[in-house]
Amino acid sequence: MPKMEENLIERCEDAITSLKQELEELQEQYKENQREIVFLSSTNINQGLESFYGKNISDDPNMRTIQTNLVHREQEIRFFNTVNGIELTKYLKKTESKSEEGTIFNHKLVGCCHFLSFELEFKTLEEKTKRCEVIHLKIFMDCDWNSDLKELVSRAQKSLNLLGFFRTLSAFTEWCEYRKSTFSQFKY
């Protein structure tokens, strides 16, 4: 077999191996997301509250109000996901330090906006006056394919502007979808 064909076959095998590994990673991430969704389901929340209080919470009028509010909040989250295209799949918050000035929290936020996945790690300083300020922001996204997206991520990290980042990301992905739809109309 000629050397060029051997190189081509080897590159193809490497690509297949890489794709299989990526597929396994995505399947593991999917399983982890499913576990988190199950953990955050209202059934598990009810069971946790019942074990904490040691009684059937459905009989308690206060708990019925809480359950009603929980259902309402879940509906609001689904509505906002539909409106802005941003779906948060994971959120972690840890206290880093407490001082006279206030408390510093570490946050990790994972989600997607339409077709783009993102991961944010940021720190906030919550002062005694209940004023909260972002003091560090790191955004992890695959943005090498688009210089505008790369610039958006860079500006958001420099300005520490979470709201601006989410607004712009939502608009950006929406326009990408429009563009893709428009170009698909011109294909034969």
Side-chain angles (χ1 to χ4, degrees):
M1 199 177 330
K3 183 140 179 112
M4 285 182 71
E5 287 182 28
E6 287 178 14
N7 286 341
L8 180 61
I9 291 172
E10 187 176 311
R11 284 188 301 197
C12 288
E13 288 174 348
D14 289 345
I16 290 170
T17 304
S18 175
L19 289 172
K20 284 181 180 178
Q21 182 181 3
E22 186 177 344
L23 181 62
E24 288 174 6
E25 290 172 2
L26 289 172
Q27 287 173 335
E28 184 59 37
Q29 182 181 5
Y30 176 77
K31 288 177 186 175
E32 181 181 328
N33 289 346
Q34 293 297 77
R35 285 190 296 267
E36 288 177 15
I37 289 169
V38 168
F39 178 73
L40 294 175
S41 71
S42 58
T43 304
N44 284 348
I45 292 172
N46 287 339
Q47 289 174 347
L49 289 171
E50 285 177 7
S51 68
F52 179 75
Y53 287 109
K55 62 180 180 180
N56 187 351
I57 61 168
S58 58
D59 298 338
D60 189 354
N62 291 332
M63 287 302 162
R64 273 189 248 132
T65 304
I66 291 172
Q67 287 176 325
T68 304
N69 287 340
L70 179 62
V71 168
H72 180 69
R73 297 297 175 247
E74 288 173 344
Q75 290 170 344
E76 284 181 341
I77 288 172
R78 281 192 295 276
F79 170 75
F80 288 125
N81 286 347
T82 304
V83 168
N84 64 24
I86 297 173
E87 182 178 348
L88 303 177
T89 56
K90 187 177 195 179
Y91 174 68
L92 301 169
K93 179 179 178 181
K94 294 181 182 176
T95 304
E96 182 178 296
S97 64
K98 292 184 179 187
S99 67
E100 298 275 331
E101 297 174 15
T103 305
I104 296 178
F105 293 102
N106 285 326
H107 305 264
K108 183 175 183 176
L109 190 62
V110 179
C112 61
C113 183
H114 295 283
F115 61 92
L116 285 175
S117 296
F118 60 84
E119 183 175 322
L120 303 169
E121 291 179 357
F122 59 99
K123 293 182 182 184
T124 56
L125 171 63
E126 193 172 304
E127 297 175 351
K128 302 289 184 193
T129 60
K130 298 296 180 196
R131 184 173 169 269
C132 188
E133 173 184 3
V134 177
I135 57 173
H136 174 77
L137 174 61
K138 184 70 178 165
I139 302 171
F140 302 98
M141 292 182 76
D142 179 22
C143 55
D144 293 335
W145 60 277
N146 190 299
S147 61
D148 293 332
L149 182 58
K150 195 180 249 186
E151 180 64 26
L152 164 67
V153 169
S154 176
R155 271 187 285 137
Q157 288 180 152
K158 287 179 187 171
S159 66
L160 304 175
N161 186 352
L162 285 174
L163 182 59
F165 169 73
F166 283 119
R167 283 182 176 164
T168 309
L169 181 65
S170 182
F172 176 83
T173 55
E174 218 172 284
W175 278 104
C176 283
E177 292 289 328
Y178 291 146
R179 183 174 184 229
K180 182 179 175 182
S181 174
T182 302
F183 283 136
S184 71
Q185 299 296 321
F186 294 116
K187 289 185 179 178
Y188 296 119

